[in-house]
Amino acid sequence: MTTAYISEISKYEGQDVTLKGWLYNKRSSGKIKFIILRDGTGLIQAVAVKGEIEDKYFDLIEELTQESSLAVTGTIREDKRSPWGYEMTLKSLEVVHIAEEYPISLKEHGTSFLMDNRHLWLRSEGQRHVLRIRHEIIQSIRQFYYERGFTLIDSPILTPASVEGTSTLFETDYFDGKAYLSQSGQLYLEPAIAAFGKVYCFGPTFRAEKSKTRRHLQEFWMVEPEVAFNDHEDNIKLAEEFVSYIVAWVLEKCGRELDALERDKTKLEKVKAPFGRVTYTDAVERLKKEGIEIEWGDDFGAEHETVIGSWFETPVVIEKYPAKIKPFYMQPDAENPDLVANMDVIAPEGYGEIIGGSQRDHDLERLKKKVIAQGLPLESYEWYLDVRRYGSVPHAGFGLGIERTVAWLSGSKHIRETIPYPRMLYRLYP
Ligand code: 4AD
């Protein structure tokens, strides 16, 4: 007997196959019993008719509880009325395991309960759709950089120094000393541009942020490209091309998931380069005119980003922030040294910042002064400063947060559903 997956069931129309999976639901109307099976690739209904299937199998259905694992064998038929397009006429079934009473029933549950059962909640259709979109986003990212000749440079997780300020470092013992969980792979990518020209890293990053918002995770994944000889404008172009590529990929590969999640695809279809663009200074002016509280020199909060995002239909690039609110490594703006040649990309529809990046300061003496001025131990950065000692070049890069991108594209209200096992301020279980 052929064993098949539900996703490829159309190939088996009229044939007998075995499907292996879990009981999603069942119902009965006298002489007919219906089983809905899910196998990780889809759902299908199998129908058992008393008298047409051996009694022992018909009776076995009675014993099946929600999420019991089983193998069903029968004939595949096209059925236009079925939401899944095909049905199985059941001939036999084999129980692998009768599940204990499953905590997540098909009715509504509170979020805290669902998060406590995250390992089980993963089986629910909505969660599966979001994580399938995540999977495709990651595939598109790898493909984007591969097609453009970037080399993958895996950056370390255990590091001796901070990248994005010391206030969000997770510290751990490292034998006789201390180590910090990586906040960003950027410092390790910059040396690698002199070896490979165009590089990227992609991995988990950690921020001990005491933020409990729908956009913050304490552990999140970031993809970071870094390119030798790129300046601020090149950096923005790369970011626009990159984000447009991911969105087009998701629209092409995830139509089914987006529809099931009721995501408005017409909004995503508008995401094409060039994006909206505004300087930090102009954005502050316009926010003030709209009556929103902010002063030049303040960082933008979620509410500011949402308003700025609403000015455009595409994502927005906000560029040239005040140097004093940004990390030491950013290149000063050519016209105004109080500003830096940086950019953030804000997703539309209130999904917030998805990219942060900049041209990097490639001047050794200036960079040293900034490391000291920001109160960082110079000796921990000597290796990083070497990039500026041996053939220093202008260069630029950025980081895109995967979970915020998944939230935006899938239309998830909260970032916790965009990663299989979220790590949050009050959550380390399961
Ligand atoms: O703006 P950030 O802090 O930039 C950097 O780390 C740079 N070193 C990257 C680089 O230039 N190579 O973070 C980049 C992105 C943000 O735009 C956001 O999408 C995501 O990472 N991010 C978070 N996502 C979820 N939870 C958090 N706590 C996040 N912090 C940042």
Side-chain angles (χ1 to χ4, degrees), residues 43-88:
L43 291 162
I44 196 167
Q45 178 163 271
V47 186
V49 182
K50 194 161 173 75
E52 292 178 16
I53 182 172
E54 280 182 58
D55 280 350
K56 65 174 181 183
Y57 296 130
F58 193 81
D59 297 340
L60 199 51
I61 295 174
E62 208 51 51
E63 289 173 33
L64 295 175
T65 53
Q66 187 189 349
E67 291 302 315
S68 289
S69 44
L70 66 157
V72 295
T73 300
T75 317
I76 301 301
R77 288 182 287 105
E78 190 169 8
D79 186 337
K80 295 240 156 54
R81 289 164 310 169
S82 152
W84 307 292
Y86 290 85
E87 268 194 3
M88 173 185 268

Side-chain angles (χ1 to χ4, degrees), residues 163-164 183-187 189 201 205-207 209 211 215-226 235 326-327 329-330 343-345 352-358 360 396-405 415:
V163 192
E164 299 297 324
Q183 298 166 305
S184 155
Q186 180 196 323
L187 300 195
L189 283 182
C201 67
T205 46
F206 307 85
R207 305 270 170 105
E209 271 171 307
S211 312
R215 289 185 190 163
H216 284 89
L217 290 167
Q218 277 49 34
E219 176 179 312
F220 62 96
W221 283 64
M222 183 155 50
V223 54
E224 300 176 77
E226 192 73 31
N235 205 33
K326 288 294 171 184
Y329 56 72
M330 293 186 178
M343 53 115 187
D344 283 351
V345 178
E353 183 201 310
I354 52 169
I355 284 184
S358 67
R360 319 305 188 187
F398 59 82
L400 171 125
I402 300 303
E403 290 73 18
R404 291 199 191 161
T405 307
I415 199 166

Side-chain angles (χ1 to χ4, degrees), residues 93-233:
L93 72 152
E94 186 191 326
V95 173
V96 180
H97 176 243
I98 294 288
E100 291 178 26
E101 191 180 346
Y102 192 60
I104 304 179
S105 62
L106 298 175
K107 60 176 204 284
E108 293 274 304
H109 291 282
T111 310
S112 154
F113 173 82
L114 290 169
M115 290 306 292
D116 285 342
N117 288 287
R118 180 62 178 165
H119 54 298
L120 303 176
W121 194 23
L122 291 179
R123 303 184 191 191
S124 301
E125 279 300 282
Q127 299 305 306
R128 290 186 59 262
H129 294 320
V130 174
L131 294 179
R132 287 289 303 174
I133 291 171
R134 177 189 173 98
H135 161 76
E136 285 295 344
I137 288 172
I138 291 172
Q139 190 68 21
S140 74
I141 288 169
R142 300 261 183 226
Q143 189 62 24
F144 179 87
Y145 290 112
Y146 189 74
E147 281 172 7
R148 283 158 186 74
F150 283 65
T151 300
L152 175 70
I153 297 295
D154 297 309
S155 52
I157 304 281
L158 291 168
T159 63
S162 87
V163 192
E164 299 297 324
T166 49
S167 64
T168 63
L169 282 173
F170 273 113
E171 188 181 289
T172 178
D173 289 337
Y174 195 73
F175 305 105
D176 294 334
K178 293 280 178 213
Y180 308 102
L181 299 186
S182 175
Q183 298 166 305
S184 155
Q186 180 196 323
L187 300 195
Y188 293 91
L189 283 182
E190 289 187 51
I193 57 159
F196 299 96
K198 296 184 273 188
V199 296
Y200 78 102
C201 67
F202 188 15
T205 46
F206 307 85
R207 305 270 170 105
E209 271 171 307
K210 292 247 164 74
S211 312
K212 191 171 173 280
T213 78
R214 58 196 176 85
R215 289 185 190 163
H216 284 89
L217 290 167
Q218 277 49 34
E219 176 179 312
F220 62 96
W221 283 64
M222 183 155 50
V223 54
E224 300 176 77
E226 192 73 31
V227 184
F229 301 103
N230 262 15
D231 65 11
H232 175 63
E233 284 300 320

Side-chain angles (χ1 to χ4, degrees), residues 367-369 371-372 375-383 385:
L367 192 54
K368 268 192 195 167
K369 281 194 200 127
V371 171
I372 295 164
L376 299 166
L378 196 60
E379 62 283 4
S380 300
Y381 295 88
E382 284 300 339
W383 65 276
L385 296 170

